[in-house]
């Protein structure tokens, strides 16, 4: 049984006794090894106690301070990490302290300070893929810096080609930047297992829709929905493709699944209502159309759809109410005037 494997099975009532024995060991390397194993095992409290004890006994050192900072970050004691790392950052030429400081600032909600720290980490070590990735993710929040963010993530992937998380985030940015062909090529190269594969295939499917059309994307999005059934957008995009292929029943089922997974999405609810209406399922169409108009941001199209469904089921008063609301929200909605006139006539 390795040290790392043994740590998680320590009983809590034995922890303090074991820690005291570790602190009694004269070998600094042995203590560091135990501390690293504690961090890897997620036992941040014991790691903090160990490294704080080492600092009290022997004073601070770069290695101990960086490990203690990692333990603070793991325990969500961000401000302790910041106070520890700020003095160390100036003297650390490797950029590791700056990177950890950036993570601490980011966790504390100080985005601008985090950006400056990650820039410092990259300046000190241009091959720090983690810092490049973190910097790019901050930059991506600003539409004016999207191209710069893409460049930083591309460099992070070049340095760490096996990191699928970098590839997935870059794929999202490329699609946002209207670089669907680049996103398609990238997603075809990203290899990942488990639920994350669902996100990869969702991005691949979206890129396929843009580049090659909906038909090619159907099997990809079916796979995405199976790999991670909780991703509402996968079901929604699959519904879009199936609707384009004329498979109304399956499209409606996918749209409905998306709306049920994310009932707060007006777009998903509207799409489900349209699909069920086209598949002649009036009850389900009414259910999702009613959901759409009840959500914030409901527009003229949402009220027009519900009004049309009421008119189809001869509920003229309700149809008139919804169609008037549709026209009030969107006076240019010509079809609403036509349907409203018919409802009044009836």
């Amino acid at each position: 049984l390795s040290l790392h494997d043994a740590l998680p099975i320590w009983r809590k009532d034995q922890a303090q006794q074991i820690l005291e024995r570790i602190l009694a060991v004269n070998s600094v390397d042995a203590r560091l090894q135990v501390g690293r194993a504690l961090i890897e095992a997620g036992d941040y409290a014991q790691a903090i106690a160990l490294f704080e004890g080492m600092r009290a006994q022997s004073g601070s050192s770069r290695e101990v301070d960086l490990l203690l900072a990692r333990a603070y970050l793991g325990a969500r004691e961000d401000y302790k990490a910041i106070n520890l790392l700020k003095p160390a950052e100036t003297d650390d030429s490797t950029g590791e302290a700056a990177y950890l400081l950036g993570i601490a600032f980011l966790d504390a909600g100080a985005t601008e300070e985090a950006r400056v720290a990650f820039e410092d980490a990259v300046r000190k070590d241009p091959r720090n893929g983690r810092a490049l990735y973190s910097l790019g993710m901050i930059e991506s929040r600003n539409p004016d810096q999207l191209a710069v963010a893409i460049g930083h993530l591309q460099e992070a992937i070049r340095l760490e080609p096996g990191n699928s998380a970098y590839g997935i985030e870059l794929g999202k940015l490329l699609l946002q930047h209207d670089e669907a062909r680049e996103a398609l090529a990238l997603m075809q190269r990203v290899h990942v297992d488990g639920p994350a594969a669902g996100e990869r295939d969702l991005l691949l499917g979206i890129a396929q829709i843009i580049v090659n059309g909906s038909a090619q994307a159907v099997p990809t999005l079916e796979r995405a929905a199976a790999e991670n059934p909780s991703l509402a957008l996968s079901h929604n995009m699959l519904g879009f493709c199936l609707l384009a292929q004329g498979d109304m029943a399956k499209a409606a089922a996918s749209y409905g699944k998306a709306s049920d997974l994310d009932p707060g999405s007006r777009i998903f609810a509207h799409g489900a209502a349209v699909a069920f209406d086209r598949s002649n399922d009036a009850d389900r169409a009414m259910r999702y159309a009613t959901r759409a108009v009840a959500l914030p941001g409901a527009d003229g199209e949402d009220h027009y759809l519900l009004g049309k469904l009421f008119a189809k089921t001869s509920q003229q008063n309700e149809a008139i109410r919804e169609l008037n609301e549709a026209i009030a929200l969107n006076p240019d909605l010509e079809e609403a005037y036509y349907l409203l006139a018919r409802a009044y006539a009836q």
Side-chain angles (χ1 to χ4, degrees), residues 281-287 289-290 303-324 339-340 342-346:
D281 190 334
D283 291 340
R284 290 186 181 179
M286 187 73 75
R287 180 199 309 168
T290 302
H303 287 277
Y304 167 73
L305 176 58
L306 183 56
K308 183 176 76 170
L309 293 171
F310 277 131
K312 278 186 173 183
T313 54
S314 300
Q315 300 179 68
Q316 302 306 333
N317 289 334
E318 291 82 357
I320 289 168
R321 182 193 68 224
E322 293 300 327
L323 292 168
N324 275 319
L339 196 56
L340 182 59
R342 285 187 58 190
Y344 275 124
Q346 292 176 6

Side-chain angles (χ1 to χ4, degrees), residues 29 80 105 121 124 229 258 318 330:
D29 288 340
K80 285 187 177 181
F105 276 131
K124 290 176 177 176
E318 291 82 357
N330 184 359

Side-chain angles (χ1 to χ4, degrees), residues 143 146-147 150 172-180:
L146 195 54
I150 287 172
K172 294 177 186 177
L173 296 187
L174 289 169
L175 288 171
Q176 290 177 35
H177 204 238
D178 296 327
E179 298 183 37

Side-chain angles (χ1 to χ4, degrees), residues 86-104:
K86 270 187 173 179
E89 180 194 15
T90 306
D91 299 329
D92 179 31
S93 61
T94 68
E96 185 65 15
Y99 168 72
L100 292 175
L101 184 59
I103 295 295

Side-chain angles (χ1 to χ4, degrees), residues 56-136:
Q57 286 183 356
S58 307
S60 66
S61 70
R62 176 184 176 277
E63 190 169 14
V64 171
D65 287 353
L66 292 181
L67 286 169
L68 178 56
R70 289 184 178 278
Y72 281 146
L73 289 172
R76 299 296 185 187
E77 297 188 33
D78 304 316
Y79 291 102
K80 285 187 177 181
I82 290 169
N83 292 333
L84 177 66
L85 289 164
K86 270 187 173 179
E89 180 194 15
T90 306
D91 299 329
D92 179 31
S93 61
T94 68
E96 185 65 15
Y99 168 72
L100 292 175
L101 184 59
I103 295 295
F105 276 131
L106 199 59
D107 287 348
T111 305
E112 180 58 24
E113 290 84 350
R115 183 188 63 78
V116 172
F118 289 134
E119 284 180 341
D120 187 36
V122 172
R123 180 179 58 80
K124 290 176 177 176
D125 180 10
R127 297 184 60 79
N128 188 332
R130 296 168 302 159
L132 284 161
Y133 168 77
S134 300
L135 178 58

